[in-house]
Amino acid sequence: MMRKGTCVIAAVVVLLAAGCGSKSGSKSSASGPVTVNLTEQNGSGESGTATLTKVGDQTKVVVDLQGTSATMGSASQPAHIHKGSCAKLDPTPAYALADVKNGKSTSTVAAKLDDLTKSAFVINVHKSAAEIQTYVACGAVGTGPTSSSGSSGKY
């Protein structure tokens, strides 16, 4: 009797462990945080990550940049979520993010995390408000079809 109970418990433990496995890498699961790698553009020397977290029907976006312009005392850098890809994005932002100051920005946008990850969206950081046409970092959020309009690195 004890042996049969032990086997049942062992089987339940194995099944639970299999169901609790975590997925690694960015954009693997929209139910947990999604990390987007922001890569440098236009020789900016700036790169980092954006972490997107589901908050009900909204998404919290935390940007963390490192580089020469992302330091104390540097100008604020506008940041947005755009439709498209980093190579060819819609220049009209889909969602505004808080400006990146000292390499950091935290925002909440009125979009579901699942919607952002299932469509072609990117997070884009600009050099400054005065040089809004110059992109310094970009990373793909979703992998859906890209927009047919847009630009590659400048407005």
Side-chain angles (χ1 to χ4, degrees), residues 64-150:
D64 184 12
L65 281 181
Q66 296 83 40
T68 54
S69 296
T71 59
M72 291 286 280
S74 62
S76 293
Q77 297 174 278
H80 305 98
I81 296 175
H82 293 264
K83 290 181 182 178
S85 67
C86 289
K88 188 173 185 178
L89 58 82
D90 181 341
T92 303
Y95 304 97
L97 301 175
D99 286 357
V100 177
K101 296 177 185 173
N102 304 322
K104 310 282 186 211
S105 168
T106 301
S107 311
T108 300
V109 297
K112 293 180 181 179
L113 181 56
D114 285 342
D115 293 344
L116 294 173
T117 59
K118 291 179 182 174
S119 299
F121 284 102
V122 297
I123 293 177
N124 195 10
V125 181
H126 304 263
K127 186 172 184 178
S128 66
E131 295 182 76
I132 196 88
Q133 75 285 354
T134 303
Y135 302 157
V136 296
C138 187
V141 176
T143 57
T146 60
S147 169
S148 59
S149 65

Side-chain angles (χ1 to χ4, degrees), residues 12-92:
V12 169
V13 169
V14 168
L15 289 173
L16 285 173
C20 292
S22 66
K23 298 177 184 177
S24 63
S26 66
K27 298 180 276 289
S28 63
S29 172
S31 62
V34 173
T35 301
V36 174
N37 291 319
L38 301 174
T39 56
E40 113 174 48
Q41 288 193 313
N42 296 311
S44 69
E46 292 185 52
S47 61
T49 60
T51 304
L52 288 75
T53 307
K54 179 181 177 178
V55 181
D57 286 345
Q58 298 182 326
T59 302
K60 179 179 177 182
V61 181
V62 178
V63 175
D64 184 12
L65 281 181
Q66 296 83 40
T68 54
S69 296
T71 59
M72 291 286 280
S74 62
S76 293
Q77 297 174 278
H80 305 98
I81 296 175
H82 293 264
K83 290 181 182 178
S85 67
C86 289
K88 188 173 185 178
L89 58 82
D90 181 341
T92 303

